[in-house]
Amino acid sequence: MKRFLLVMVFGVMTIAALAQSNQESAIRQILAKQTEAWNKGDINAFMQTYWKSDSLVFVGKNGVTYGWQNTLDNYRKGYPDKTAMGQLKFTIIRIEPLSGQVYNVIGKWHLTRTIGDLQGHYTLIIRKINGKWLIVQDHSS
């Protein structure tokens, strides 16, 4: 009986670890998609990883912005062309599950640009909505 319980516990732990690994892989893919889109100069594609909702929250150097469209507009204003956008690199520091449907991601961003590099850190809240992982909150500084 003890052996059976140990096998069951090990099996459940293995399944949970695999599920978390799959979720983390999906989240890493979101950041890879963002990097690819940004480096092509495609802010519209970059924004597809964000929750297209008025409830999206973005916190940056100018304070809090609410809504997907407002966030897109701010990106367009701050990065009007490929020169301003440069080449983006993300470094993930930590991916932490807050629940089975919500993850917290902490990392660094770096823009290599001919007009001067920029860099900072970010904290993302990524949530699974209708079967798709989306950024619902972004604090980048």
Side-chain angles (χ1 to χ4, degrees), residues 29-70:
Q29 286 177 3
I30 288 171
L31 296 175
K33 284 181 186 178
Q34 279 196 316
T35 301
E36 182 180 340
W38 188 273
N39 291 340
K40 288 180 180 176
D42 190 346
I43 289 179
N44 290 328
F46 176 84
M47 286 295 297
Q48 296 311 304
T49 56
Y50 285 93
W51 186 27
K52 200 167 191 175
S53 168
D54 290 339
S55 297
L56 170 68
V57 177
F58 184 94
V59 183
K61 67 179 180 178
N62 295 323
V64 181
T65 298
Y66 295 97
W68 186 89
Q69 187 63 52
N70 291 333

Side-chain angles (χ1 to χ4, degrees), residues 65-120:
T65 298
Y66 295 97
W68 186 89
Q69 187 63 52
N70 291 333
T71 300
L72 173 62
D73 293 344
N74 285 345
Y75 270 122
R76 285 183 177 152
K77 186 181 348 172
Y79 303 97
D81 56 34
K82 187 113 171 69
T83 301
M85 291 176 74
Q87 291 293 296
L88 174 65
K89 178 184 178 197
F90 284 132
T91 303
I92 297 171
I93 296 171
R94 184 175 80 186
I95 298 176
E96 177 183 24
L98 301 178
S99 76
Q101 303 293 309
V102 180
Y103 276 73
N104 180 50
V105 180
I106 297 173
K108 295 186 224 179
W109 59 270
H110 183 91
L111 289 180
T112 302
R113 308 183 317 165
T114 58
I115 58 174
D117 293 359
L118 295 174
Q119 64 184 3

Side-chain angles (χ1 to χ4, degrees), residues 4-23:
F4 175 74
L5 287 175
L6 285 174
V7 169
M8 290 298 292
V9 168
F10 180 73
V12 169
M13 289 173 55
T14 301
I15 291 169
L18 287 173
Q20 184 173 337
S21 175
N22 288 340
Q23 309 301 16

